[in-house]
Amino acid sequence: MMRSTSLLIPPARKSLVSRPRLTRKLEEGMEVKLTLISAQAGYGKTTALSEWARQCRCPVAWVSLDKYDNDWSAFWSCVLASIRRQLPRFGESIAFLLEPASAASIDSAISVFVNELHSISGEFVLILDDYHVIENASVNEAMRFMLQYLPPHVHLYIASRTELSFPTARLLAKGELNVIRIEDMRFELEEGVVFFRETTDLSLTEKQVAELFEQTEGWVSGLQLAAITLKRSSNIPDTIREFGGRQRRISDYLLEEVFAHLPESLREFLLATSVLGRLNGEMCQAVTAKPDGQKQLEKLEQLNLFLIPLDDQRDWFRYHHLLSEFLQQLSAREYPELWRQSHHRAAAWHEREGLCEEAVEHYLKARQIEEAIRLIERLLPELMLTKGHVLLRWINALPEGSYAFKPTFELFYISQLLMDGEWSRGLRRAEEAEKRFEAMKAFIPESDWNTLMGNLYYLCGIFAYLLQDLPLTSRYFELTERCLPEGSSFQMISTKRYQGHEGFMDLLSLTRDLREVEQFLLKWIQTWEKKENYPFIGYFYLTYGLLLYERNRLEEAERVLGQALNREDLRANVWIWIQLGLASSRLQQARGNGGHAIEWLGRFGSNVDSPDLHVIRKRIEAEQAQLFLIQGQREKAYAWLKQSGLSPADDVTMRHFDEYLILVKALAANHRIEDALRVLEQLERSAAQADRLRDRIKLKIAQSVVLWQSDQPHAALEPLATALRLSEPGGYMRSFLDEGPPMVEMLAELLHERQEAAMSLASLNYVRLLIEAAGGGLSPHPLSDAPLTEKEEAVLALLADGFIYKEIAAKLNITLDTVKFHLKNVYRKLGVNNRAQAIQRVRKVNQS
């Protein structure tokens, strides 16, 4: 019940002052995506929103956020629950959104949520009150993405004390943002006059009201506090004059005045219960250890002392933020023992009620570290899978060394560093933990100690691998083998999830030296291949298969990928399973079975048991589009492009590197060169930070392919030469060969230029090796008989009509150098040496 009150629209307060100007401003939000109400505490944001929401002409979902919601799962649980109060069947198929793994694939997760919003018929409003408590970066990024695609009939209202932590400039530029700030929330003088006349027993002159307005600047809570203080004043003019200073000083002064005149029992009650975010009579009784909790709440409500009801029955309340902050600061500063005792009693009550997360928070505030650790340890197995960020915050709040003898805490913390990409820091922390755990060996049963150390060594091995230290990786995996022959339990976590792995879609990109990694992978595949329930081996099968494929050792790659696909234990790890399928489809294409590869890929993805099936389908459809491009089926690739949901206008990141690379190629194949180059530029900026060699090679190759299809094909050779220089030490081949005939043409042109200029930016032997390998199946015609491109045919036709180079350049709107470049390719493809021979060859072909 306590948390469910956060989903209720707060009841209307008594004696509300009509504020038509503010109401009109709120109503304007029904014409835009986002309305932001931004003002400090005490300006009536919640009151204004709740009154408007109760009169709204369409369904309204309300969420009152607090510190417990500053977590991916908690936040989206509240949002979905609030919408379901209005639309009970909403989002039945997207429970995966609540899982922490969805935070690692924000655009995919929120895309499905937005699709659900599209299914709502009619106007709908979602209100998020007190959004300033949300600091979680994943939640803020999700909100940014959601607003980008929010359907026009859904309107989001956010009330916050601070500016939003995600950008809104694009919404503002598009006229999709309605901002209500302090100047809109302030009472106007006329409203203030009504406020004092109709909601207080004070008989103030208009001049006195104006003086109060000048002091409080129309601040609603300041006026309310002033009214409470003035009721006790024997000299109203003098009291009004004492209200000088900025708003915070006014609030402190007024609250002190109000607090000082309350009965002692009520002051003690306020101080003790100020530790509670939400309160009712029973909880207040537990925290104060007195039986009059309900009576005290009723007394506070009668005094109109900033007690805000949370339900229509008036069972649950919260203190106004200003009062709560004032009381907590006063209690912690002046009454530390009462502060500690109140948190202790609150923790005990919450734990008895089964509200263990809230109990932990209170134990931490009370500095009862042992109690907090006891409860965290009980919650650890469950929250590791659902609320990792909450656990991490708790552990960070514990004093250094307080959980030194709780190894499970340390393992969890280290695993979070792995998930957060802090690999160097994680390895250092793990190595420090290794020394501490070694010292505990005599005090732990041998089987438990082996499990503990095996899990630690396993995590250390992964850190070392990601940091590209293969000898250290092997050392840790050998230690893991010694302690846990059947492998770490960490390898079984979230096996049905596909989301969350986007940063590692190409495992081969994690290594720079293909020759060194081959021996490493062989060793560990041979070590683990006989183990029947060992899904971690799938990462190594996949990486080795990709390595063999990249080096054009297709039969060996087929054997390795086949072995992996025949393992039952790998089917449970959805991400590995899908990646094996994608790699196998590319292999079938390379071996000349392109049509079968596309069909097989579609069937493969439909038999997967995963909550992320929609994301998997999108990834498979992108891979099928890539195969269409290799096979020259531009129309089918373009059809994918139009329904993929990807756009050149997106904020491109490395999260979906492969899909956006396919988007680049599909755009270029359909003559949208500028769009393709724009996406490439964003990908290159992201890749520069990641420092992943294979991704850099792929980007340079893609850039060369795009430029080759542009009006400046000669510009394609520079990025191609860079890609070759980066690739030759590792013997990369398929990244080039999979581009098909255009790559053969570029390599031939590059070879020709390098020979003429005696340049060595790319090894001539390496280029010849790639051309020779491509001739085995990718290009059915010899190079001298390759078909002319559209642009080459246009240049040749104008040449045959007698136009000179400058005239051809003007007619085709290209540079003189580009004309010469095209003609050089024409001569080479036709096997001629000059203009006359080329024209004669064309006429002969036309006559035949």
Side-chain angles (χ1 to χ4, degrees), residues 438-450:
E438 286 282 358
M440 296 163 56
K441 184 175 183 180
F443 307 98
I444 300 177
E446 184 178 1
S447 62
D448 292 347
W449 192 84
N450 283 334

Side-chain angles (χ1 to χ4, degrees), residues 130-424:
D130 290 332
Y131 191 84
H132 52 268
V133 301
I134 302 300
E135 299 172 346
N136 185 286
S138 297
V139 172
N140 281 307
E141 172 62 14
M143 293 296 290
R144 181 200 66 78
F145 185 87
M146 181 183 79
L147 281 164
Q148 191 174 348
Y149 300 103
L150 197 69
H153 63 281
V154 177
H155 312 282
L156 178 63
Y157 284 70
I158 293 179
S160 174
R161 295 191 206 175
T162 61
E163 291 299 312
L164 296 177
S165 298
F166 53 85
T168 56
R170 182 178 294 183
L171 289 173
L172 185 62
K174 290 183 174 181
E176 293 286 357
L177 175 63
N178 176 35
V179 182
I180 299 174
R181 299 201 182 277
I182 285 176
E183 53 268 27
D184 302 299
M185 298 298 299
R186 289 188 181 116
F187 268 20
E188 293 182 329
L189 180 58
E190 295 78 8
E191 293 169 336
V193 171
V194 172
F195 167 78
F196 279 103
R197 185 179 66 238
E198 297 187 1
T199 68
T200 74
D201 298 327
L202 295 166
S203 300
L204 301 182
T205 67
E206 196 161 319
K207 182 181 177 183
Q208 287 173 328
V209 173
E211 192 173 349
L212 282 172
F213 255 78
E214 184 179 348
Q215 299 285 12
T216 62
E217 298 179 0
W219 179 43
V220 179
S221 289
L223 293 172
Q224 290 174 305
L225 282 164
I228 295 171
T229 304
L230 290 171
K231 285 180 182 179
R232 298 190 178 92
S233 173
S234 58
N235 190 328
I236 286 178
D238 286 348
T239 303
I240 291 176
R241 280 192 293 273
E242 291 174 4
F243 288 168
R246 303 299 297 170
Q247 288 169 3
R248 175 54 64 184
R249 288 173 55 193
I250 292 174
S251 68
D252 288 346
Y253 168 75
L254 293 173
L255 282 168
E256 286 171 13
E257 283 289 303
V258 171
F259 186 75
H261 288 88
L262 293 173
E264 184 178 353
S265 63
L266 201 54
R267 292 203 303 270
E268 289 180 0
F269 178 85
L270 283 166
L271 289 170
T273 56
S274 67
V275 303
L276 301 171
R278 291 177 171 84
L279 54 156
N280 68 1
E282 181 188 345
M283 192 187 302
C284 292
Q285 185 170 313
V287 170
T288 61
K290 294 180 179 178
D292 60 349
Q294 187 61 40
K295 287 183 179 179
Q296 296 284 39
L297 284 174
E298 290 171 3
K299 192 178 295 184
L300 288 173
E301 192 172 18
Q302 289 169 4
L303 292 171
N304 195 22
L305 194 60
F306 291 84
L307 186 69
I308 298 172
L310 297 176
D311 58 7
D312 290 322
Q313 293 74 36
R314 280 177 151 69
D315 291 328
W316 285 91
F317 300 85
R318 71 169 172 83
Y319 292 130
H320 188 286
H321 297 305
L322 279 176
L323 180 62
S324 178
E325 288 171 8
F326 168 79
L327 291 171
Q328 289 190 55
Q329 289 171 8
L330 180 63
S331 181
R333 183 179 68 245
E334 302 292 338
Y335 307 95
E337 183 55 30
L338 176 63
W339 167 262
R340 187 200 64 77
Q341 191 177 61
S342 299
H343 274 297
H344 168 68
R345 289 171 176 166
W349 185 90
H350 281 91
E351 187 172 0
R352 284 197 303 272
E353 295 295 316
L355 301 166
C356 294
E357 290 182 47
E358 288 86 348
V360 171
E361 299 281 355
H362 286 294
Y363 280 133
L364 288 172
K365 290 280 179 60
R367 306 310 293 162
Q368 292 185 288
I369 302 306
E370 290 184 8
E371 295 295 327
I373 289 175
R374 171 185 60 78
L375 204 48
I376 293 172
E377 194 169 24
R378 187 204 304 174
L379 296 171
L380 196 66
E382 176 190 349
L383 295 192
M384 275 179 67
L385 301 176
T386 59
K387 293 189 177 180
H389 287 89
V390 173
L391 274 177
L392 196 59
R393 177 166 56 80
W394 288 346
I395 292 174
N396 283 328
L398 294 172
E400 192 69 31
S402 63
Y403 55 92
F405 295 97
K406 297 290 182 184
T408 313
F409 280 48
E410 192 66 48
L411 280 180
F412 165 75
Y413 190 90
I414 292 167
S415 71
Q416 288 300 297
L417 294 175
L418 174 64
M419 298 300 294
D420 292 342
E422 296 191 50
W423 301 332
S424 296

Side-chain angles (χ1 to χ4, degrees), residues 518-570:
E518 180 170 6
Q519 296 305 311
F520 168 86
L521 293 170
L522 268 175
K523 172 186 175 178
W524 289 105
I525 287 174
Q526 290 167 359
T527 302
W528 295 329
E529 64 185 349
K530 300 298 183 185
K531 299 179 188 290
E532 292 186 359
N533 191 23
Y534 209 95
F536 184 66
I537 194 177
Y539 293 101
F540 284 45
Y541 269 124
L542 176 59
T543 307
Y544 190 41
L546 290 171
L547 183 150
L548 293 169
Y549 177 79
E550 182 60 72
R551 301 182 76 173
N552 209 29
R553 293 157 59 182
L554 301 184
E555 289 185 9
E556 294 174 79
E558 189 170 37
R559 176 178 55 79
V560 168
L561 293 174
Q563 287 175 350
L565 289 169
N566 285 329
R567 290 185 63 109
E568 285 297 320
D569 55 348
L570 298 192

Side-chain angles (χ1 to χ4, degrees), residues 472-489:
L472 184 61
T473 305
S474 283
R475 184 174 80 82
Y476 276 119
F477 283 159
E478 285 161 4
L479 291 169
T480 304
E481 276 290 294
R482 192 182 308 164
C483 295
L484 289 177
E486 297 309 314
S488 166
S489 57

